[in-house]
Amino acid sequence: MMSEEDKLNEAVEQAVEVAANKAAEEEIQELTEFESAVDETLATGYLDDTLTVTDSDGVAQVLPVLDSEPISHLVKGLEEVGGTANVFVHTAEGVVALSVVEYKPNDAE
């Protein structure tokens, strides 16, 4: 039989898990909406002058991220696109464009 304290601890753990899952779902939704907005804007050509960074194949890689994401997500995204990207960061104040010319953590300096 569970004590009242154990029941309370279990209820708190469940509430924390529900809140964490809801926050994660909201962040995923926000990122999905931001990615869609970036894609739509890219399709119009409005950002063509902003895409100053291209990879070795001449492709302007675009990486949309939220300012609430851990920096490790940005680093992982940069690694996935080869270390060169036009990064768009969604903030509470608007969108910030960053040009990452070269990110190669495993290369000798």
Side-chain angles (χ1 to χ4, degrees):
M1 182 186 228
M2 292 180 73
S3 71
E4 288 300 314
E5 184 177 344
D6 289 340
K7 289 178 185 177
L8 179 60
N9 286 340
E10 186 175 309
V12 168
E13 286 176 18
Q14 289 175 352
V16 168
E17 184 176 342
V18 167
N21 288 340
K22 183 177 179 186
E25 288 173 8
E26 289 173 356
E27 185 170 71
I28 290 168
Q29 180 66 30
E30 183 181 359
L31 180 57
T32 300
E33 290 173 4
F34 180 53
E35 288 172 340
S36 293
V38 169
D39 287 345
E40 289 174 15
T41 306
L42 287 168
T44 67
Y46 181 75
L47 294 175
D48 287 354
D49 291 340
T50 307
L51 304 177
T52 58
V53 177
T54 58
D55 63 16
S56 59
D57 297 325
V59 177
Q61 297 289 341
V62 174
L63 183 60
V65 296
L66 304 175
D67 66 348
S68 59
E69 291 182 79
I71 193 74
S72 62
H73 288 184
L74 172 60
V75 171
K76 182 179 178 187
L78 286 168
E79 290 171 349
E80 288 174 357
V81 297
T84 302
N86 299 279
V87 179
F88 293 91
V89 183
H90 185 268
T91 72
E93 290 78 32
V95 177
V96 177
L98 305 172
S99 298
V100 179
V101 177
E102 186 174 2
Y103 172 73
K104 297 181 182 178
N106 297 325
D107 286 356
E109 293 185 42

